[in-house]
Amino acid sequence: MNSKRIKIGQHELEVSHLDKVFFPKSGITKGDLLSYYSDVASFAVPLYENRPLTMQRCPEGITKECFIQKEIPNYFPQWIDRFDIPKKEGHLTQALINKKETLVYLADQACITFHLGLSKVDKIHSPRYLIFDIDPSKEDEPLLKNVVKHIKDLIDLLDLKGFIQTTGSRGFHIYIPLKREFSFKRVHDFSKKFAAFLAHKYPDEITIEQSKAKRGKRVLIDYVRNSYGMSAVAPYSVRTLENAPIATPLHWDEVADKNLVSQTYTIKNIFKRLSHGKDPWKGMESHHFSLDSAEKRLDKLF
């Protein structure tokens, strides 16, 4: 068993099975995963802070049984921040990634992918972000990127500001940071209206139909994630796919690169990117948009 003790921040962690292969075809080990999350923490943690965490854990690697876990286990150390999330019956206690040592501890617990809620715990019923999940029905990169352009054009027209990332899987996520004065229902209704407008304007390219059988080749703008209790893959999170692709924040003009796909950036090349360029989401947390004026503009377009 390859194990060692490491000190991060105020805490000493005992990490183990570092030589266990988590990604068999690409030979990426648990130790590689820990090193990645330790090194990317300065980019990731500011975007994760105080957002309820859902974990995807694969104790024996991505080809064996993986599971989704929302409730923080009893054996997790008490120094990991947590919050009781209200639900219809009782509450759900979820972990919060507020510091680097939490991120590394979770990686040692075979948490490969992190999913985050769209609100922060101090205002749990008011989303901090609106999100669109851009999900292709077929492998058609030109169509997918054309739909992204349509969304960006409308965001600009409504005088909002969007931030885009690859999902590390098939498509893109687009975030709009919000003033925390709206309910999930209000944000959901606005996002549905936004997506429906584009589906009406570009009926051969865009759909809001959730049923895969009814989409054809069209790209889905999934607005449904803008609901209480829902989550989305975290920026800089590893996906449970071979080569360990990363959900990667982008500059908008990068989307047009014909060589860019959702799995372009991986655990093996992400730091070359980060060392050579400005963080595309730097300053994101300083933006807080209202939906009132944007919705009035959208209603006029309708």
Side-chain angles (χ1 to χ4, degrees), residues 29-41:
T29 66
K30 183 182 177 185
D32 295 328
L33 186 74
L34 263 69
S35 294
Y36 166 74
Y37 277 122
S38 177
D39 292 342
V40 86

Side-chain angles (χ1 to χ4, degrees), residues 23 42 45 48 55 91 102 111 118 152 154 167 212 216 232 256 262:
F23 299 79
S42 61
V45 171
Y48 294 8
M55 301 169 277
H91 65 266
T102 302
C111 299
L118 298 180
K152 174 64 162 60
L154 184 54
T167 64
K212 289 184 178 181
S262 192

Side-chain angles (χ1 to χ4, degrees), residues 44-241:
V45 171
L47 298 169
Y48 294 8
E49 286 178 343
N50 291 320
R51 295 172 64 186
L53 173 68
T54 298
M55 301 169 277
Q56 186 175 12
R57 302 176 64 182
C58 303
E60 302 301 323
I62 64 168
T63 60
K64 305 295 184 181
E65 183 180 358
C66 297
F67 60 95
I68 299 293
Q69 188 170 26
K70 286 195 170 188
E71 184 91 32
I72 187 170
N74 292 331
Y75 60 84
F76 275 24
Q78 288 302 307
W79 53 259
I80 292 181
D81 294 334
R82 61 202 69 201
F83 187 80
D84 291 339
I85 310 295
K87 59 179 189 176
K88 286 184 178 179
E89 296 181 5
H91 65 266
L92 177 70
T93 304
Q94 290 181 254
L96 306 173
I97 301 178
N98 290 344
K99 42 189 177 281
K100 177 179 178 177
E101 46 264 52
T102 302
L103 196 57
V104 176
Y105 175 84
L106 292 172
D108 186 58
Q109 297 299 310
C111 299
I112 294 180
T113 305
F114 302 107
H115 299 265
L116 299 171
L118 298 180
S119 57
K120 298 198 173 192
V121 294
D122 58 330
K123 287 191 175 182
I124 195 66
H125 293 287
S126 297
R128 175 67 179 89
Y129 312 96
L130 181 156
I131 186 171
F132 293 113
D133 181 1
I134 317 306
D135 186 16
S137 301
K138 305 287 184 183
E139 295 299 325
D140 188 338
E141 288 298 325
L143 174 61
L144 176 63
K145 292 179 179 182
N146 209 39
V147 169
V148 168
K149 182 181 182 302
H150 295 327
I151 296 169
K152 174 64 162 60
D153 289 345
L154 184 54
I155 288 173
D156 291 345
L157 192 61
L158 300 181
D159 202 24
L160 298 169
K161 186 173 179 63
F163 294 81
I164 188 168
Q165 71 171 11
T166 67
T167 64
S169 180
R170 299 179 69 240
F172 296 93
H173 282 168
I174 295 173
Y175 282 73
I176 298 173
L178 300 175
K179 290 183 177 179
R180 295 191 296 164
E181 58 187 27
F182 306 104
S183 67
F184 270 97
K185 183 180 185 308
R186 174 73 190 284
V187 175
H188 179 277
D189 290 348
F190 174 84
S191 63
K192 181 179 181 179
K193 186 184 294 186
F194 182 107
F197 173 79
L198 289 175
H200 177 75
K201 187 173 183 180
Y202 304 102
D204 295 331
E205 300 177 55
I206 296 173
T207 183
I208 59 172
E209 176 59 62
Q210 293 291 315
S211 170
K212 289 184 178 181
K214 296 180 181 179
R215 292 182 204 166
K217 68 179 183 65
R218 296 172 297 174
V219 174
L220 172 68
I221 301 180
D222 187 356
Y223 60 86
V224 176
R225 290 179 186 269
N226 297 292
S227 303
Y228 181 71
M230 298 287 279
S231 62
V233 66
Y236 299 110
S237 181
V238 178
R239 305 308 300 268
T240 55
L241 299 167

Side-chain angles (χ1 to χ4, degrees), residues 2-15:
N2 184 6
S3 63
K4 62 180 180 179
R5 296 189 72 83
I6 57 175
K7 183 172 176 59
I8 303 179
Q10 301 298 312
H11 303 284
E12 190 172 271
L13 309 180
E14 183 169 354
V15 295

